[in-house]
């Protein structure tokens, strides 16, 4: 008998929010802040707002991997929050641009396996 594959669940699939306030008073600080933002984009995060980035993770374990990568790339100064929420919780997000409600980003239909 083949091993049973764990079912994908809206409670197991995660979304990561990385929110940060980084100093940009000097050229070095601006460079570090830009480098951190570029790192997030390279890791597959998308910009929700200027200092808020989000990323889909297919499992809690994958989310922990991304948290570790972000932790290892933190700039020396500033404040960074990482929030993990389930796909079910993310489904309740209400996003507005001005007074117009936007559709939230959908969970990817297919998981990429490498």
């Amino acid at each position: 008998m083949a091993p049973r594959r764990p079912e994908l669940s809206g409670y197991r699939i995660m979304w990561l929010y990385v929110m940060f306030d980084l100093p940009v008073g000097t050229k070095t600080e601006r460079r570090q802040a830009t480098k951190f933002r570029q790192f997030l984009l390279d890791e597959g995060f998308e910009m929700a707002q200027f200092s808020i980035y989000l990323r889909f993770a297919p499992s809690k374990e994958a989310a922990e991997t991304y948290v570790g990568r972000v932790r290892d790339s933190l700039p020396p100064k500033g404040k960074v929050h990482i929030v993990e929420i389930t796909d079910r919780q993310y489904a309740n997000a209400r996003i507005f641009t001005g007074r117009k409600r936007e559709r939230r980003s959908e969970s990817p239909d297919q998981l990429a396996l490498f």
Side-chain angles (χ1 to χ4, degrees), residues 5-112:
R5 241 180 73 191
E7 296 297 319
L8 291 179
S9 161
Y11 296 102
R12 208 171 132 61
I13 297 171
M14 305 298 292
W15 286 88
L16 294 175
Y17 279 84
V18 176
M19 301 172 279
F20 53 90
D21 186 13
L22 302 177
V24 292
T26 68
K27 188 174 183 178
T28 299
E29 289 172 340
R30 285 190 296 278
R31 194 176 317 116
Q32 290 169 341
T34 299
K35 183 178 176 184
F36 184 66
R37 281 190 208 92
Q38 189 59 52
F39 164 80
L40 292 173
L41 293 171
D42 290 345
E43 286 293 312
F45 285 82
E46 65 181 75
M47 187 171 68
Q49 293 183 16
F50 188 68
S51 293
I52 302 174
Y53 286 67
L54 68 112
R55 189 190 199 296
F56 172 83
S59 67
K60 178 77 171 156
E61 296 78 18
E64 287 302 318
T65 298
Y66 288 113
V67 168
R69 288 181 185 167
V70 171
R71 184 187 58 237
D72 293 344
S73 297
L74 292 173
K77 294 181 182 176
K79 191 169 193 176
V80 177
H81 291 244
I82 303 172
V83 178
E84 299 175 42
I85 64 172
T86 66
D87 194 48
R88 294 281 178 146
Q89 292 168 320
Y90 183 69
N92 293 325
R94 294 180 183 104
I95 302 165
F96 295 87
T97 299
R99 293 181 182 235
K100 184 178 178 186
R101 187 167 181 178
E102 279 185 26
R103 292 180 52 98
R104 66 178 181 84
S105 299
E106 295 296 325
S107 302
D109 290 334
Q110 181 178 349
L111 298 177

